Amino acid sequence: MAQAYLTKAEIPVPDWDGCRFGFGQDVVSEVWKSVFLEVERRGSDWVVTKIDRRKTPLDQSEQGLVVMHLSEAASGLLRA
């Protein structure tokens, strides 16, 4: 999803380094009500930096794909 977002925004692959995205979703579980993951582009890899399992449902703003941080190069291209 993060790659699709950056591709659609026409951000060149070399500018993805340092971009961070989150993805949250409510889940059906005996223990957890939601999960929120964070991934960051490091070089040519996406690395999971956080897995947050919660006992409460997510706020609307945390559901789906969330842009956490864009690299300076990517931010500059989106503003242009």
Side-chain angles (χ1 to χ4, degrees):
M1 288 183 187
Q3 286 185 189
Y5 174 89
L6 294 168
T7 299
K8 185 176 180 181
E10 299 181 355
I11 305 298
V13 174
D15 295 338
W16 294 5
D17 192 41
C19 291
R20 205 166 5 108
F21 291 84
F23 181 82
Q25 184 171 333
D26 291 340
V27 297
V28 178
S29 165
E30 295 285 325
V31 179
W32 311 113
K33 298 295 181 202
S34 61
V35 176
F36 191 84
L37 303 171
E38 288 185 23
V39 297
E40 181 177 338
R41 183 68 173 212
R42 294 183 183 167
S44 61
D45 297 316
W46 287 102
V47 177
V48 175
T49 58
K50 183 177 182 180
I51 300 174
D52 188 7
R53 292 168 283 216
R54 301 178 184 177
K55 293 185 178 187
T56 58
L58 292 172
D59 293 332
Q60 185 71 22
S61 65
E62 295 177 298
Q63 294 186 21
L65 184 68
V66 179
V67 178
M68 307 293 289
H69 172 80
L70 293 175
S71 68
E72 190 173 322
S75 291
L77 290 170
L78 284 177
R79 279 186 253 135

